[in-house]
Amino acid sequence: MNQAKIKRIIAGSAGILAALLAVLLFAAGISAVICNRHIKATQYDVQLDGLEQSVRLAVVADLHGKVYGENNAPLYEKVAAQKPDVIVLLGDLFPPHFTEADKDYVIDLTRRMQEIAPVYFAMGNHETSYTAKYGDDWIEMIRETGAIVLDEEWQDVAIAGNAIRLGGTMGHGYLFGRSNAQFHASPEYEVLFRLEHARQPAILLSHMPDTVALSDGPRRWHIPLVLCGHTHGGIVRVPGIGGLYAPMQGWFPRFDYGEYQLNSEMRMIITSGLSGHDHVPRIFNLPEIAVIDLKP
Ligand SMILES: [Fe+2]
């Protein structure tokens, strides 16, 4: 092959690569615009031993203070359209760089969700950061809306004719640098222990999947259903590969989105939630409400 022919082939290949890159960037740009405005509902079926009747949960997570349309109307319409028996607010409703006034957004959101269905409210890392900075008065205001707050707590509740044990934690379900004694004395250990030993179906609301999925969490715990957010589905979903990045897990996280069987008895569902992360937009990753149908 002469040199002129080799140069032509190289130039042709570079042109094809540049064209492919341009198409990909264009598609990513369009996707970022769509993912900034539209919400999907993702439905899951979960069989739970001991359940008497079917129950539908709508899970709303990781809003980061975002407002859809006029005063979040599209979000409430989407949640109401699912006809949930209960709504789970699963953390990181506050924006990452909050001011004290942002509690009004979270309280208003909880109140309006309560108009659709009873609300169970679990903390995310943004909620715990807000409490550390401005105190916990806002949690009492959330309770005054009628919502049940599970802040390192568990409760036996009745949902659509079923006795269910619900717990909420932001802690780590493994040693995480602590001694056994320190871990066993922690509030997260108490929540996890009580859920594992429930006679009725138990559901753990754990904003961070890290709580039970990382380290030896799946060997330690056997809780039938764990609901998580926090990962934003990896923020950018690379076609054919999955999420690009998640906090705690880094690049190409293993636990980024969807359903996981952590051990023979423990199922985990991670919702990708409803916003991007800081100034990074969601790409190929439509915001979502997770709709979970619990079946006997
Ligand atoms: Fe989070």
Side-chain angles (χ1 to χ4, degrees):
M1 206 179 294
N2 63 34
Q3 264 195 333
K5 197 166 181 187
I6 292 171
K7 274 184 186 166
R8 272 206 306 280
I9 290 171
I10 291 172
S13 305
I16 290 168
L17 273 178
L20 280 176
L21 193 63
V23 168
L24 188 65
L25 285 175
F26 181 72
I30 299 277
S31 175
V33 171
I34 293 170
C35 291
N36 191 37
R37 292 183 193 169
H38 295 276
I39 304 169
K40 67 174 177 175
T42 306
Q43 193 264 341
Y44 297 90
D45 284 332
V46 177
Q47 272 192 310
L48 268 189
D49 282 349
L51 207 68
E52 302 271 324
Q53 299 179 51
S54 296
V55 180
R56 170 165 278 197
L57 313 179
V59 183
V60 171
D62 295 288
L63 261 162
H64 286 210
K66 186 173 170 63
V67 178
Y68 282 92
E70 186 78 19
N71 206 10
N72 254 338
L75 173 63
Y76 299 113
E77 281 163 19
K78 195 76 182 182
V79 173
Q82 311 312 315
K83 300 193 176 6
D85 295 303
V86 294
I87 296 168
V88 175
L89 298 182
L90 196 51
D92 281 7
L93 308 179
F94 281 95
H97 308 289
F98 45 72
T99 65
E100 186 169 11
D102 284 319
K103 72 173 185 296
D104 297 339
Y105 165 92
V106 177
I107 293 162
D108 182 54
L109 184 101
T110 309
R111 186 176 292 119
R112 290 175 68 186
M113 290 294 180
Q114 273 282 130
E115 289 167 9
I116 301 170
V119 168
Y120 292 88
F121 190 110
M123 301 292 152
N125 44 303
H126 295 185
E127 281 70 31
T128 53
S129 300
Y130 185 92
T131 300
K133 189 159 183 193
Y134 296 117
D136 60 3
D137 290 357
W138 70 277
I139 297 176
E140 201 43 50
M141 295 176 196
I142 294 286
R143 289 197 163 107
E144 281 166 12
T145 69
I148 306 284
V149 179
L150 295 163
D151 179 16
E152 304 303 335
E153 291 162 80
W154 60 277
Q155 255 193 48
D156 291 333
V157 299
I159 301 176
N162 294 280
I164 292 177
R165 181 166 290 183
L166 272 180
T169 182
M170 260 295 299
H172 289 91
Y174 46 93
L175 295 181
F176 200 59
R178 298 169 287 189
S179 68
N180 257 319
Q182 286 168 326
F183 176 44
H184 287 192
S186 70
E188 56 267 30
Y189 185 90
E190 172 77 9
V191 170
L192 292 160
F193 182 87
R194 294 292 184 169
L195 264 68
E196 179 163 286
H197 290 88
R199 262 189 243 136
Q200 60 274 63
I203 305 172
L204 175 66
L205 311 179
S206 119
H207 173 76
M208 303 187 301
D210 329 20
T211 300
V212 286
L214 300 191
S215 187
D216 61 349
R219 267 195 289 122
R220 279 180 185 270
W221 301 108
H222 298 85
I223 296 163
L225 180 62
V226 184
L227 303 181
C228 309
H230 189 58
T231 62
H232 300 245
I235 311 171
V236 174
R237 291 199 68 77
V238 184
I241 294 178
L244 187 64
Y245 184 86
M248 290 288 288
Q249 298 181 67
W251 298 101
F252 301 106
R254 180 172 167 208
F255 300 104
D256 58 346
Y257 178 60
E259 278 184 284
Y260 298 85
Q261 194 70 40
L262 293 180
N263 57 41
S264 58
E265 290 154 70
M266 187 153 61
R267 195 175 196 79
M268 177 172 76
I269 294 175
I270 304 175
T271 175
S272 69
L274 285 145
S275 75
H277 203 289
D278 275 346
H279 300 299
V280 183
R282 296 169 76 109
I283 295 174
F284 307 130
N285 183 13
L286 263 186
E288 71 167 18
I289 294 153
V291 179
I292 298 170
D293 287 317
L294 306 176
K295 314 243 167 162

